């Protein structure tokens, strides 16, 4: 029989996903592994992980991994890449890690044009710690800390990370995608490959935002959570390429 697909070498053999059923984090981890394999980057790749559910991927993602303090992934990645430019460095962060406690590091790295990409998973909640209000939580969306829903008057408006970074001069590539459909998976794959290729070519800072679900804290089935992204989340956070220089 002819093999048409095999496990990416960048995913450890026998690994089992630690993510909740239906979570898009698992899909994105597989996409990253496939792209790293295709580009021959495994032996020199270093993933700098933020804090959150995404850490479950550390159990089966091959290659070197550094866990940064909460919100400091961009600062760690900046030092790592500058001290050893031959490494392939990328960060993998959630919205609480990147857009809340780590927003300063994110903006500073983008403003400096650091030569590494960020893979940013936006599920509009603090998933690992119990579903609290996040910087990206939608207006009207309830959370454990906002049981009656987010209101602009009390909690402010959601932060649009790609658009915020688009106000800076240095970033080379900013894109927002999702994995709710096969077409979306292909677009996510292309965006991640583009961001990785920018680093390989020394072009500077890239960020790929992936609209993600959280069936557990959204109190939805996996299919309901995908519909929510398609019909609600993506109306607030418009999909597409925001910048490509």
């Amino acid at each position: 029989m002819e093999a048409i697909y095999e496990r990416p070498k960048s995913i450890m053999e026998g690994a089992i996903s630690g993510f909740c059923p239906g979570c898009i984090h698992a899909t994105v981890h597989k996409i990253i592994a496939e792209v790293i394999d295709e580009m021959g980057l495994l032996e020199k790749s270093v993933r700098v992980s933020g804090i959150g559910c995404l850490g479950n991927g550390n159990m089966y993602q091959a290659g070197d991994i550094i866990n940064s303090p909460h919100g400091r992934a961009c600062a760690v990645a900046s030092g790592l890449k500058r001290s050893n430019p031959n490494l392939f460095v990328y960060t993998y962060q959630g919205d609480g890690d990147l857009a809340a406690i780590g927003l300063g590091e994110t903006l500073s790295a983008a403003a400096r044009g650091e030569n590494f990409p960020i893979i940013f998973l936006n599920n509009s909640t603090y998933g690992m710690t119990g579903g609290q209000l996040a910087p990206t939580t939608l207006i009207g969306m309830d959370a454990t800390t906002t049981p009656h829903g987010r209101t602009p008057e009390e909690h402010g408006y959601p932060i649009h990370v790609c658009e915020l970074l688009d106000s800076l001069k240095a970033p080379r590539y900013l894109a927002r995608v999702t994995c709710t459909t096969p077409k979306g998976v292909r677009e996510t794959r292309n965006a991640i490959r583009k961001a990785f290729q920018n680093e390989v070519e020394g072009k500077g800072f890239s960020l790929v935002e992936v609209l993600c679900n959280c069936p557990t804290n959204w109190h939805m089935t996996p299919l309901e959570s995908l519909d929510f992204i398609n019909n609600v989340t993506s109306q607030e956070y418009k999909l597409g390429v925001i910048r490509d220089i």
Side-chain angles (χ1 to χ4, degrees), residues 182-195:
K183 179 176 181 287
V185 171
R186 290 193 299 271
E187 290 172 346
T188 300
R189 199 175 191 280
N190 291 338
I192 289 175
R193 186 180 177 96
K194 169 76 173 180

Side-chain angles (χ1 to χ4, degrees), residues 95-115:
D95 47 295
D97 181 85
L98 180 145
I101 191 172
L103 185 59
E105 280 77 1
T106 304
L107 289 170
S108 295
R112 295 193 302 267
E114 296 289 351
N115 188 37

Side-chain angles (χ1 to χ4, degrees), residues 7 28 43-45 67 72 95 106 119 133 137 156 160 162-163 170 181 186 202 209 228 237 241-243:
R7 171 186 54 82
V28 177
E43 294 304 316
K44 63 177 184 178
S45 73
N67 276 106
R72 312 306 177 218
D95 47 295
T106 304
I119 310 302
L133 179 79
T137 300
H160 292 222
C162 283
E163 287 78 3
T181 64
R186 290 193 299 271
E209 177 179 352
F228 188 84
Y237 300 107
V241 176
I242 285 81
R243 178 187 295 192

Side-chain angles (χ1 to χ4, degrees), residues 67-68 118 160 173 178:
N67 276 106
S68 68
I118 295 173
H160 292 222
Y173 181 67
T178 190

Side-chain angles (χ1 to χ4, degrees), residues 17-96:
S17 171
F19 297 108
C20 297
C23 180
I24 286 176
H25 268 293
T27 304
V28 177
H29 274 76
K30 190 174 184 181
I31 291 171
I32 289 172
E34 291 173 346
V35 172
I36 286 176
D37 278 15
E38 287 178 7
M39 298 180 69
L41 297 171
L42 178 57
E43 294 304 316
K44 63 177 184 178
S45 73
V46 182
R47 160 177 157 158
V48 182
S49 287
I51 300 298
C53 294
L54 53 91
N56 288 315
N58 294 355
M59 297 185 291
Y60 61 86
Q61 196 89 17
D64 290 327
I65 298 172
I66 295 176
N67 276 106
S68 68
H70 198 192
R72 312 306 177 218
C74 286
V76 172
S78 296
L80 187 63
K81 183 68 177 180
R82 287 189 176 215
S83 62
N84 194 336
N86 293 323
L87 291 176
F88 176 77
V89 178
Y90 69 99
T91 78
Y92 189 98
Q93 299 175 257
D95 47 295

